[in-house]
Amino acid sequence: MSGEANRLSLSLADIIRGRRSVRRLADRPVPRDDVLAILEAARWAPSPHGRQPWRFVVLTRAEPKRILAEAMGAEWRRQLALDGQDEAIIELRAQASYKRITGAPVVILPCLYTVDLDVYPDALRNAAETTMAVQSLGCAIQNMLLTAYSLGLDCGWMCAPLFCPTVVTTALDLDPALTPHALITVGYAAVEPVRRERLPLDALIVLFD
């Protein structure tokens, strides 16, 4: 608990560097106010024309998380089989994913919502408009992750909904205008994750003129 409380005094730079991806979360409820604070941070992300092309699905009860995990698991098994993976490995990976989703105190699904975006007479600009919306959704998610960490929480970013958006919307009976792009698990870390090394800055800057 003390480590979580200590994050409240961190600088923005420390929060950015301290944030980590956590797969195993403790069986401990997350305060509703903290969930709302995470979503409030997402609301302030930059977006094309200020249209805020994102909507959020929040799951806290066991049953909808189970329904979602089972539906996504069935599709993932099918896709892994197409890749030629061994049945035993497929089952292990599917079970791990199922536990990750159902074991998370809170699951947030950030969805792309393009209904309010500008529409152009040519495909190139329409594609660019959609790309801007996707970029802004990423900004909203980053706001969520940083805010969660600052509150003493940890998150895991799962991209699985990108590979089965219709499965997700059907399982949760969502508006077809929503396109799920990610699944964010939220809670308190059960174990400290292994941090991956970052490339040095000079390897990332390709032009500084």
Side-chain angles (χ1 to χ4, degrees), residues 4 7 20-31 34-35 38 59 65 100-101 103-108 144-145 147-157 184-192:
E4 295 156 12
R7 294 187 196 171
R20 63 271 181 92
S21 297
V22 174
R23 289 176 176 269
R24 292 179 57 188
L25 298 171
D27 182 15
R28 176 179 160 196
V30 174
D34 285 354
V35 177
I38 291 168
L59 305 180
K65 285 185 283 188
R100 227 180 132 182
I101 296 171
V106 179
V107 169
I108 300 176
M144 291 167 52
L145 300 179
T147 299
Y149 184 75
S150 74
L151 293 171
L153 296 160
D154 288 295
C155 300
W157 185 337
I184 310 299
T185 55
V186 184
Y188 300 92
V191 295
E192 286 298 308

Side-chain angles (χ1 to χ4, degrees), residues 102-116:
T102 59
V106 179
V107 169
I108 300 176
L109 293 156
C111 301
L112 191 68
Y113 183 74
T114 60
V115 172
D116 298 325

Side-chain angles (χ1 to χ4, degrees), residues 17-132:
R17 293 189 182 97
R19 184 214 61 81
R20 63 271 181 92
S21 297
V22 174
R23 289 176 176 269
R24 292 179 57 188
L25 298 171
D27 182 15
R28 176 179 160 196
V30 174
R32 179 183 176 86
D33 285 350
D34 285 354
V35 177
L36 292 176
I38 291 168
L39 297 171
E40 175 67 13
R43 192 167 71 92
W44 290 94
S47 64
H49 326 299
R51 303 287 167 75
Q52 302 171 62
W54 359 266
R55 298 293 186 270
F56 304 98
V57 175
V58 183
L59 305 180
T60 59
R61 295 191 302 109
E63 184 62 9
K65 285 185 283 188
R66 181 193 64 79
I67 291 172
L68 176 62
E70 288 184 353
M72 291 178 64
E75 175 60 18
W76 200 31
R77 285 182 174 89
R78 186 189 71 81
Q79 292 180 11
L80 291 175
L82 288 175
D83 295 340
Q85 295 203 24
D86 180 77
E87 286 187 14
I89 298 299
I90 290 175
E91 190 59 29
L92 283 174
R93 296 182 67 182
Q95 284 299 322
S97 178
Y98 178 88
K99 290 178 181 177
R100 227 180 132 182
I101 296 171
T102 59
V106 179
V107 169
I108 300 176
L109 293 156
C111 301
L112 191 68
Y113 183 74
T114 60
V115 172
D116 298 325
L117 294 182
D118 288 352
V119 178
Y120 300 97
D122 58 290
L124 181 61
R125 282 187 291 172
N126 282 325
E129 189 81 0
T130 299
T131 299
M132 287 195 298

